[in-house]
């Protein structure tokens, strides 16, 4: 058998082998056997030197043609086997199988309550305003009638950035910023984060407040009382009782703290025969601070205290959320345990 014959017989040999090859793995073995570096084609070519020089070009040409045929046969069979494999996979795919539901998150309870409170005040015609969390001494203290040596500054355990720059300790700077920008009548609420150097079971260094204020001619304490009562009854239920206790803030005069009847025990002081742990049997819980805006504050924002009066209040959103849902531990809000958070979805 001449080398040319041997070469040409490789094609039908491979064709036969390919017919029987049932997988891509067997196919690869065949490829190595025929076309590999030490494969059949290479072995035949290795005998080229045995030939007379004038015979070599004919054999070489045949070898190239055979090589191309072999490659084509491989490619065809390979494509067919790949198609078959794909078809087999698809035949096992069940398009009627129910899908996996994506996990959908929800708003944090504090965010939800903050939104709800903003919604109530929007309904009363208030604008929502925001301002910087990194504040200066002037807006956080001085313009709010707390000059540098004022003892009330001690009440706020402040986180200072520099001597003059601090993390705001309350949302009250928004009273100053908003009044400076606008002329009365003004009615706005300011939700946001505030910071204090305080960390224990009932205090976190960051928490949320909502400030509310309104300034116009003839605004009175009765307006404050009516507004807060309406608001608190919308958030805690229409049977909620509201009471005002005298208090002190440098930026309001007179000032008051507001209590609501305990929404856990309904103001009874006892629940299911046991002392109520939320109001400690008093039937009341403190909910916010408020008062009539001090004339000194009006002076620092350029309002005439003879012409205008107004009220302001500030409340802690975590506290409202705890009371509203009977949550006993402040830390729950910051641990982000999904078993807790899911209950508010
Ligand atoms: N800013 C006060 C605080 O953080 C709350 C307050 C706001 C009191 C507005 C009166 C008026 O404690």
């Amino acid at each position: 058998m001449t080398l040319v014959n041997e070469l040409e017989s490789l094609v039908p040999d491979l064709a036969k082998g390919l017919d029987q090859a049932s997988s891509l793995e067997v196919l690869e073995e065949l490829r190595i056997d025929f076309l590999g570096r030490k494969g059949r084609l290479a072995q035949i070519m290795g005998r080229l030197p045995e030939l007379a020089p004038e015979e070599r070009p004919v054999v070489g040409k045949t070898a190239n043609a055979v090589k191309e045929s072999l490659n084509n046969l491989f490619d065809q069979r390979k494509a067919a086997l790949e198609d078959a494999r794909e078809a087999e996979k698809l035949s096992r795919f069940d398009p009627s199988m129910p899908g996996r539901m994506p996990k959908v998150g929800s708003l944090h309870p504090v965010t939800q309550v903050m939104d709800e409170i903003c919604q109530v005040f929007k309904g009363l015609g208030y604008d929502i305003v925001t301002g910087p969390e990194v504040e200066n001494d002037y807006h956080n203290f001085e313009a709010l009638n707390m000059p540098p040596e004022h003892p009330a500054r001690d009440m706020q355990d402040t986180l200072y950035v520099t001597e003059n720059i601090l993390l705001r300790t309350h949302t009250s700077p928004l009273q100053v910023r908003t009044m400076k920008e606008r002329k009365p009548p003004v009615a706005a609420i300011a939700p946001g984060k505030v910071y204090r150097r305080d960390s224990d079971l009932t205090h976190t260094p960051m928490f949320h407040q909502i400030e509310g204020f309104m300034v116009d001619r003839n605004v009175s304490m009765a307006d404050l009382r009516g507004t807060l009562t309406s608001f608190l009854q919308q958030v805690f239920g229409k049977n909620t009782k509201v009471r005002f206790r005298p208090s002190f803030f440098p930026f309001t005069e007179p000032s008051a703290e507001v209590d609501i009847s305990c929404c856990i025990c309904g103001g009874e002081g006892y629940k299911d025969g046991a002392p109520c742990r939320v109001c400690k049997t008093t039937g009341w819980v403190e909910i916010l601070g408020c008062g009539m805006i001090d004339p000194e504050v009006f002076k620092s924002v350029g309002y005439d205290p003879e012409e205008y009066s107004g009220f302001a209040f500030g409340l802690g959103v975590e506290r409202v959320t705890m009371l509203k849902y009977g949550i006993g531990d402040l830390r729950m809000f910051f641990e982000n345990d999904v078993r807790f958070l899911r209950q508010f979805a």
Side-chain angles (χ1 to χ4, degrees):
M1 199 148 88
T2 65
L3 281 189
V4 170
N5 286 342
E6 275 188 51
L7 281 170
E8 282 174 342
S9 73
L10 287 179
V11 178
D13 273 5
L14 176 64
K16 219 157 99 200
L18 286 178
D19 275 347
Q20 280 157 18
S22 55
S23 74
L24 289 165
E25 290 72 26
V26 177
L27 201 70
E28 179 61 12
E29 281 167 23
L30 276 174
R31 197 187 63 74
I32 293 168
D33 186 25
F34 279 80
L35 288 157
R37 258 192 323 121
K38 293 179 182 156
R40 293 215 224 164
L41 181 63
Q43 278 174 23
I44 298 173
M45 293 308 287
R47 283 153 53 201
L48 216 53
E50 296 168 13
L51 298 179
E54 64 276 15
E55 284 178 308
R56 289 181 199 163
V58 187
V59 176
K61 222 170 131 193
T62 308
N64 280 338
V66 164
K67 189 172 179 182
E68 201 184 316
S69 302
L70 295 180
N71 274 325
N72 284 340
L73 283 174
F74 265 112
D75 290 347
Q76 278 168 24
R77 186 70 184 136
K78 189 170 180 202
L81 282 175
E82 278 171 352
D83 285 352
R85 187 170 276 198
E86 193 63 21
E88 201 258 338
K89 261 194 210 155
L90 278 177
S91 75
R92 274 185 285 143
F93 173 71
D94 178 1
S96 68
M97 220 158 79
R100 246 178 255 147
M101 289 304 280
K103 290 209 168 82
V104 181
S106 59
L107 293 178
H108 192 281
V110 169
T111 310
Q112 286 186 32
V113 167
M114 196 137 76
D115 286 353
E116 183 188 339
I117 295 173
C118 287
Q119 229 34 59
V120 169
F121 280 100
K122 254 183 161 173
L124 294 172
Y126 284 62
D127 288 332
I128 297 176
V129 296
T130 54
E133 288 168 28
V134 181
E135 190 48 284
N136 55 29
D137 183 280
Y138 174 78
H139 289 101
N140 196 81
F141 292 127
E142 186 143 10
L144 288 164
N145 198 26
M146 285 180 273
E149 302 311 323
H150 196 288
R153 286 185 179 204
D154 277 357
M155 284 160 48
Q156 322 257 10
D157 288 21
T158 310
L159 287 155
Y160 282 92
V161 177
T162 67
E163 209 173 283
N164 228 352
I165 310 286
L166 43 85
L167 301 185
R168 67 180 178 195
T169 59
H170 52 180
T171 41
S172 302
L174 264 303
Q175 290 185 37
V176 180
R177 288 181 174 275
T178 310
M179 286 193 271
K180 278 200 154 168
E181 266 172 26
R182 306 184 185 189
K183 292 271 149 279
V186 179
I189 57 166
K193 293 183 168 70
V194 300
Y195 301 83
R196 289 183 197 178
R197 261 191 59 193
D198 220 350
S199 188
D200 59 37
L201 277 185
T202 53
H203 297 87
T204 48
M206 185 280 294
F207 61 102
H208 298 79
Q209 278 193 338
I210 293 183
E211 191 84 5
F213 49 95
M214 121 105 129
V215 183
D216 199 356
R217 291 192 178 89
N218 303 317
V219 175
S220 73
M221 196 92 182
D223 297 311
L224 171 61
R225 197 182 165 106
T227 303
L228 289 181
T229 303
S230 158
F231 151 64
L232 290 167
Q233 288 179 343
Q234 284 185 65
V235 172
F236 290 101
K238 62 180 185 334
N239 294 325
T240 305
K241 289 203 265 315
V242 178
R243 77 177 182 190
F244 282 55
R245 273 183 294 107
S247 184
F248 173 80
F249 299 101
F251 35 92
T252 48
E253 180 59 36
S255 304
E257 268 166 346
V258 175
D259 299 336
I260 55 170
S261 50
C262 178
C263 43
I264 301 301
C265 62
E268 299 296 320
Y270 288 82
K271 195 178 153 79
D272 307 324
C276 177
R277 63 186 169 81
V278 172
C279 66
K280 308 210 168 57
T281 74
T282 62
W284 295 95
V285 287
E286 185 191 322
I287 194 79
L288 55 80
C290 64
M292 301 306 291
I293 298 174
D294 196 289
E296 289 303 316
V297 178
F298 282 150
K299 279 185 210 159
S300 40
V301 299
Y303 285 6
D304 179 359
E306 298 297 324
E307 190 177 357
Y308 295 109
S309 56
F311 62 71
F313 56 89
L315 59 85
V317 186
E318 278 81 357
R319 185 168 171 76
V320 172
T321 310
M322 288 174 83
L323 291 172
K324 191 172 154 79
Y325 294 110
I327 298 164
D329 189 340
L330 180 68
R331 291 170 298 183
M332 298 255 190
F333 292 133
F334 301 95
E335 283 168 349
N336 289 330
D337 184 332
V338 283
R339 291 169 302 180
F340 171 71
L341 296 176
R342 241 198 315 257
Q343 299 177 64
F344 301 90

